[in-house]
Amino acid sequence: MVWIRAAALAVPGLVLAGVGLTHPAGLTVATAHHWWTMHVVLLPLFPLLAVAFWVLLLGNRSPMAWLARIAGYGYAVFYTALDVLAGIAAGVVVEGDGQTGDQAARLIGVGDQLGLVGSWCFLVAGALTAAALVPGGQRVVWPGGALVLIGGWGFLENHIFWPFGVLSQVGIAVGTALLGLAAGPGQRRAGRG
């Protein structure tokens, strides 16, 4: 059961890495249709990274776990805003206008600012999730936590662009799986209180 849960926790990052392999390097008239339709597909996928943290924290009622959940929610909200504005809206504008212009640049600029907030929330959620798992973890959680943070930093810097964004998602996937293995079945008991 622990291995199945760990594998399931890795799925969001691995799927995002796979989609990232097709992410255009930039938004142009030639890439606009793929750009915005890909971000429609990504819309329900990005928040699943926060869901992985929530699953890891099931049954953990510590203040740190609650802060991690709140940060995960912040990531899901603000990163979704990036996806909608810089991904879907900007792509539709460029495809419709047949050129890149000020409207698309403004959408991308606002989206990037909101995505930055979301990315920082992701990093905070990852750090707090790992820290919340430490007291009850029967095994060491630091390798998984470190991979989530390293991957999260790459995510902040590179979205899911090839190569570093894709590799960051793989790091997040492996990190969340390792956190799931490290927490094990004893975590639910340990985090209550």
Side-chain angles (χ1 to χ4, degrees):
M1 180 67 171
V2 173
W3 285 96
I4 293 170
R5 183 177 82 146
L9 290 168
V11 169
L14 293 176
V15 171
L16 288 168
V19 175
L21 292 172
T22 74
H23 200 301
L27 176 56
T28 65
V29 174
T31 64
H33 183 77
H34 178 73
W35 182 278
W36 77 260
T37 56
M38 178 195 61
H39 283 90
V40 169
V41 171
L42 289 169
L43 199 58
L45 297 176
F46 279 122
L48 292 177
L49 293 175
V51 171
F53 294 147
W54 297 337
V55 168
L56 285 165
L57 296 169
L58 281 174
N60 188 323
R61 293 186 179 96
S62 70
M64 198 168 310
W66 283 107
L67 290 173
R69 289 179 186 103
I70 292 167
Y73 175 75
Y75 153 74
V77 169
F78 285 97
Y79 213 84
T80 298
L82 162 71
D83 209 32
V84 169
L85 291 172
I88 300 168
V92 168
V93 165
V94 169
E95 184 180 40
D97 289 350
Q99 62 183 346
T100 56
D102 290 341
Q103 287 182 330
R106 286 183 25 217
L107 288 167
I108 290 170
V110 172
D112 284 349
Q113 290 174 351
L114 294 170
L116 186 62
V117 172
S119 295
W120 279 106
C121 285
F122 180 85
L123 283 166
V124 169
L128 289 171
T129 297
L133 296 175
V134 170
Q138 296 176 351
R139 300 179 193 121
V140 179
V141 300
W142 296 120
L147 279 173
V148 166
L149 293 178
I150 292 167
W153 185 260
F155 186 32
L156 182 146
E157 293 288 323
N158 302 288
H159 185 51
I160 61 169
F161 292 107
W162 171 260
F164 298 111
V166 170
L167 294 173
S168 296
Q169 288 303 315
V170 172
I172 290 168
V174 173
T176 52
L178 288 174
L179 285 174
L181 289 173
Q187 178 57 35
R188 286 195 178 142
R189 290 187 308 274
R192 293 190 177 165

